[in-house]
Amino acid sequence: MAMIENKVSVVTGAGQGIGRAIARVFAREGSRVVVADFNAQSGEETVQLIRDAGGQAAFIEGDVSKEESVKAMIDIVLETYGGLAIACNSAA
């Protein structure tokens, strides 16, 4: 059993680059990944890559430079999944 299996993780900046790579690794290790990015198209692409590989993922649009946006992202995660185990802040 992987250390993060069945845990909920949020990866900001997961629409591309390092954030996308981290999200994919978390999913491969069994985490339910919330892909957070300000770019909906690239965020949804990351979700699809994860799902195509057999992982679980969902997208939340948000901008980490805005406090109210971050609060809204976390509120959605808590309401949807009941908790949060891992937060990876990879947004630029």
Side-chain angles (χ1 to χ4, degrees):
M1 177 182 285
M3 290 178 57
I4 63 173
E5 189 171 9
N6 296 317
K7 296 192 180 197
V8 176
S9 60
V10 172
V11 181
T12 63
Q16 63 181 342
I18 293 170
R20 177 178 279 178
I22 292 167
R24 294 179 76 187
V25 169
F26 283 2
R28 185 181 69 223
E29 294 298 315
S31 178
R32 293 177 286 161
V33 180
V34 177
V35 171
D37 205 282
F38 70 91
N39 184 316
Q41 181 179 350
S42 63
E44 291 289 358
E45 288 171 4
T46 300
V47 168
Q48 194 59 52
L49 288 168
I50 290 169
R51 289 179 179 167
D52 288 349
Q56 297 180 52
F59 174 72
I60 295 177
E61 187 171 354
D63 183 344
V64 298
S65 70
K66 298 178 178 154
E67 183 177 347
E68 62 277 359
S69 181
V70 174
K71 286 181 180 179
M73 284 189 292
I74 297 305
D75 287 345
I76 291 168
V77 170
L78 295 176
E79 290 171 16
T80 304
Y81 296 102
L84 174 63
I86 303 160
C88 177
N89 302 306
S90 182

